[in-house]
Structures are given as C-alpha cells and as structure tokens.
Amino acid sequence: MTYKEARVYLDKVSKYGSVLGLDTIRALLCELGNPQESLKFIHIAGTNGKGSVLAYTSTILSEAGYRTGRYVSPTVVSYLERIQVDGEWIPEDAFARLTEIVQKAIARMEAAGKPSPTVFEVETAIAFLYFRETNCDIVVLECGLGGELDATNIIENTVCAVFTSISRDHLGILGNTLEEIAQTKSGIIKPGCTVITTTQQPEVMQVLKDRAKRLSCPLFVADKQYATVSQEGFAGQTISYKDYEKFHCPLAGRYQLDNAVLALEIMRILPTLGYPLSQESIRLGLEKTAWPGRFTCLMKKPLFFIDGAHNEDAARRLRESVETYFPGKRLIFIMGVFRDKEYEKIAAIMAPLAKSVYTVNLPDENRTLPAEELTRVMQHYCPGDVPVQSEQSIQGAVHHALSEAGSEDIILSFGSLSYLGQIMETVSKC
C-alpha cells in the first residue's frame, strides 16, 4: 500500500461516520496485539487548549530526553502531523505500511461479523502501532471528542489525566449542561492515576474532584493566581509560576497563560511519578514550543494572525487578546465556521470589533456553515457601516483582505482550525 492508497482507504472509511464507544476500538486493538498496553500516557481532555498543552508538554519531555509520542486532532498543516514522535511527523511510508496492517485486521473483524471501525478508531490504532514500534517512553494523547467514550480512552496505563478549560461545546452529544459535559470528559480518569486540571467552573471542579476521590487519584490544580507575567506581546510572554522563574512562552494570546501554567504544573508533578526533569530542560522546552493556529502571526506588514477560536469561550479569549495587543487598530476579519458550532455567540463577541469581514466556506462541505449565511449573521452583529461579504474561495478572501489592509491594520482569520492550513499556504505565497 502506498501513502496515496492509504489516504484513499481512510477517506472511504470516513464515509461511515463516527460512533462514540469503546467496543469496536477494543476489538480492533485486540486483533493488532494491543499495542497500547506497552505504552504510558498523559491523556488530555477539555474544551479549549488541549493542543497547546499537548505541544508544551511533549516538547518539554522531548527536550528532557524522553522519546515522546504525540497524537493530535484536528490537524492544521498536514494530515501526517496527527501522529508525531519528538515533533517529527510519521513518515508517509510508515503510515502506509501500518494502515495496511490495520486494514487487514479490519477485514478479519468483518469476516467474523464484527462492526467496522470508524476512521478515528483506525487512525488511533495506527498511532498506537507507531508509538510502540518507535519505543516511545511516554505518549501525550489528545482526546478526539469528549472523554469517556472517545476512542483514545481505551488506554489503561494513564500516568496523568489532564484537564484544560471545560466549557459548553458539542451540546447534545457530550451532555446538555456543563456538569454533564464535565462528567463525560472526566471519564479519562483511571484508577490510581494523577489528575491535573486548570482552574474550572465550580460545578466542573466538583465533578473532577468527586471522580478523582472515587478512584483514589491525587488531584492537583494549576492556578494562575500563582503566576506572574513580566513581559507580554503578540510574540509571546515571559511568565513565572511557583518555583519556575521568568520562563518564556512563545505562543501568543492571553489564554496561553492558563495553558502554559497547566503544562508547568504537569512538569512539577512528573518527577514524583518517575519522570525526572531539570529546570533547564523545562525552560528550553517551553521556549521551543510551536503550535500553529493558536494566535499565530503569519505576516508582519500588515500583521496577519490565525486563531482556531471555534466556540464561545475561545471567542471571548481571542477578543481579550485582540483588545489587549491592538487597541485602536483597524481590524479585518476572515471567518469560517462549522454549522454545528455556536456561531451566533462567536459573531456576537467578535463582530463589534470588525471594520471589515470576509466569510468563507470550510473545506468540509458537509459541516460548513455556508458563507452566505455566515455573512447574514455577521451583518446582524457588526456596526452598520462595516462591509461583510462572502467569498468564493479561501484564497480570494486572503487576497481581498491583503489588498484592503494598510500597513498598520490587523488581519485576523478565525472560526475553525480546519481551514487555517489553507490560509497559511496562501499567505506564504503572497
């Protein structure tokens, strides 16, 4: 099987949709010899910030000399970036070879009358095979959707269960209230593991505390009240947290303080769990962290940023960053959203800042909110004299925004991570 053939096969599998539950992934991994059983995991759940915390954590662990796997979704730059070891994407030939192994396992399952795995289950199985093959010391694993019934939750060897900010997202799928959503996400807590969380809403914190206590898990809270910021700008921030003094975090955005503090709390706890770390490796790892699509600057004149803000909480945090870094600046927005997201709330938060808006369709035609409909939503929330227009292509939106922008203006593309790779590619050619 070639890499191209592997992608065609996975595209075919993806047409069967997604199903929450662990029975099928359990059967598939059993067919493959349960590669996950020989691995150790830091498992991350939450609504916003999972990817950033994963990036900080895995980069620091690699810097400290641990062979570190990363499993990421969704991706921004390349399909292959979802499976990494020490920051290097899985090679195409390895991906194709492992996909063929999984394909044959699925054929055996189907011949025995067992259900066919979803594409996310197939990708998760490929990742576990690759991490075992490359002898990873530890894997930093990001939940795909939710927690308890997410395919990644098939693991048992959880060193740390980590929780970023939990807010209302995927309503009706994960739960109808914040407490129900927290219950679903808390399902990644395994008996005896260590639980580390950012500060949460009271009802969320209670859910995490109750489950941790029930399963005899120590719980630690990364509280940014113990953090200070000595320098801040769109190029990053210098922070101190407990016994970590003046560490530079290169990821911009006010919300990154929460994520960096959570990563540093993980680093405080890991030595007690058998993973010694020096202050210098933590400092260097934090400085080296890169994570595209999170208030990432693509261009300096004019300043052009991308951010994957795709729900109400993320939009509030993005607005806070914009108002902090660019008060009084003229803002040009490019926006695309999935129709199953809270796009009205995102628009209500962000639209009042805009001086011009370009709306786009996302690459996933089945899930995108049509650009024309998003235009009407943005017009409702924008000041009356602000032009809002739908674009035929993402490339067209970029070119029109750049043509309109003066050297001191700010262009910001947001609403979903799924199209930011195309934005990055287009800007790189300008």
Side-chain angles (χ1 to χ4, degrees):
M1 181 180 282
T2 65
Y3 174 66
K4 184 176 180 180
E5 289 169 338
R7 291 297 306 277
V8 169
Y9 169 69
L10 289 171
D11 285 344
K12 181 180 177 182
V13 173
S14 69
K15 293 177 182 176
Y16 299 127
S18 62
V19 179
L20 290 174
L22 299 180
D23 290 345
T24 305
I25 184 71
R26 182 178 290 110
L28 175 58
L29 290 172
C30 183
E31 196 71 41
L32 294 167
N34 286 311
Q36 79 284 2
E37 290 184 355
S38 61
L39 300 165
K40 301 289 187 183
F41 297 93
I42 295 174
H43 203 182
I44 305 176
T47 306
N48 295 311
K50 295 190 298 294
S52 297
V53 173
L54 176 143
Y56 293 130
T57 302
S58 56
T59 305
I60 292 169
L61 286 168
S62 292
E63 183 65 30
Y66 296 103
R67 194 154 179 76
T68 307
R70 292 184 180 186
Y71 187 48
V72 180
S73 64
T75 58
V76 175
V77 179
S78 165
Y79 179 86
L80 292 171
E81 73 181 287
R82 70 191 53 224
I83 302 171
Q84 303 177 35
V85 173
D86 291 334
E88 297 290 329
W89 301 348
I90 183 173
E92 289 187 359
D93 58 347
F95 185 85
R97 174 172 49 79
L98 295 175
T99 300
E100 187 170 6
I101 291 172
V102 174
Q103 181 189 36
K104 290 177 179 177
I106 292 171
R108 295 192 296 271
M109 289 173 61
E110 292 173 339
K114 297 177 181 177
S116 298
T118 67
V119 69
F120 186 69
E121 290 168 334
V122 173
E123 291 164 345
T124 302
I126 293 168
F128 289 156
L129 287 171
Y130 186 62
F131 296 144
R132 182 179 67 178
E133 184 177 279
T134 52
N135 298 310
C136 285
D137 298 309
I138 194 161
V139 174
V140 188
L141 191 65
E142 180 182 349
C143 278
L145 177 64
E148 187 169 19
L149 298 178
D150 183 76
T152 63
N153 203 36
I154 195 67
I155 64 172
E156 295 294 338
N157 303 326
T158 303
V159 177
C160 297
V162 176
F163 295 92
T164 65
S165 172
I166 295 174
S167 58
R168 292 162 60 88
D169 198 11
H170 300 291
L171 292 175
I173 300 174
L174 303 183
N176 295 309
T177 67
L178 188 55
E179 186 175 12
E180 289 177 357
I181 291 170
Q183 289 282 5
T184 299
K185 292 182 184 290
S186 74
I188 70 166
I189 299 175
K190 299 293 166 55
C193 78
T194 296
V195 180
I196 308 173
T197 180
T198 190
T199 51
Q200 304 280 2
Q201 297 284 347
E203 61 266 48
V204 173
M205 190 63 78
Q206 194 59 52
V207 167
L208 299 181
K209 286 181 177 178
D210 289 347
R211 187 174 181 96
K213 183 178 181 181
R214 189 165 69 250
L215 298 178
S216 301
C217 301
L219 183 146
F220 298 87
V221 179
D223 192 338
K224 68 178 181 182
Q225 73 171 341
Y226 298 109
T228 58
V229 179
S230 53
Q231 188 176 357
E232 180 180 21
F234 66 80
Q237 50 204 312
T238 301
I239 66 174
S240 298
Y241 176 68
K242 295 184 178 178
D243 50 347
Y244 300 122
E245 289 288 333
K246 294 188 176 180
F247 281 25
H248 181 66
C249 167
L251 304 188
R254 298 300 300 276
Y255 54 86
Q256 286 298 347
L257 178 62
D258 290 357
N259 297 330
V261 164
L262 179 54
L264 290 175
E265 186 66 26
I266 295 169
M267 298 309 132
R268 290 184 67 251
I269 303 304
L270 280 177
T272 69
L273 303 174
Y275 296 88
L277 296 155
S278 69
Q279 279 237 0
E280 189 62 15
S281 63
I282 297 170
R283 180 187 299 276
L284 289 174
L286 196 69
E287 288 179 358
K288 291 180 179 180
T289 301
W291 199 237
R294 284 73 176 179
F295 210 75
T296 304
C297 182
L298 304 182
M299 182 181 285
K300 295 293 179 65
K301 287 246 180 222
L303 283 168
F304 194 131
F305 290 86
I306 54 174
D307 190 278
H310 62 276
N311 54 41
E312 181 181 7
D313 186 50
R316 289 190 188 284
R317 289 166 174 257
L318 176 58
R319 176 167 176 159
E320 181 185 16
S321 297
V322 170
E323 291 181 321
T324 299
Y325 301 146
F326 309 119
K329 293 287 188 178
R330 185 172 181 273
L331 301 173
I332 300 169
F333 290 166
I334 300 172
M335 186 179 176
V337 293
F338 287 130
R339 65 171 180 268
D340 57 354
K341 296 296 182 180
E342 297 176 311
Y343 54 84
E344 288 267 359
K345 292 181 178 178
I346 300 171
I349 292 164
M350 295 299 297
L353 303 181
K355 295 301 181 184
S356 179
V357 180
Y358 298 91
T359 65
V360 297
N361 292 308
L362 300 181
D364 187 340
E365 296 178 359
N366 294 321
R367 288 185 64 198
T368 188
L369 182 74
E372 294 79 6
E373 189 171 341
L374 181 55
T375 292
R376 290 192 289 273
V377 172
M378 289 298 283
Q379 284 173 334
H380 177 74
Y381 290 102
C382 281
D385 59 344
V386 170
V388 183
Q389 63 185 66
S390 54
E391 288 290 331
Q392 294 300 308
S393 68
I394 291 169
Q395 293 80 6
V398 171
H399 288 303
H400 285 139
L402 286 171
S403 297
E404 176 188 345
S407 62
E408 299 300 313
D409 294 341
I410 312 296
I411 302 173
L412 174 61
S413 178
F414 65 97
S416 173
L417 282 166
S418 65
Y419 77 112
L420 299 187
Q422 289 190 24
I423 296 282
M424 293 171 70
E425 182 180 1
T426 303
V427 172
S428 70
K429 296 175 180 177
C430 293

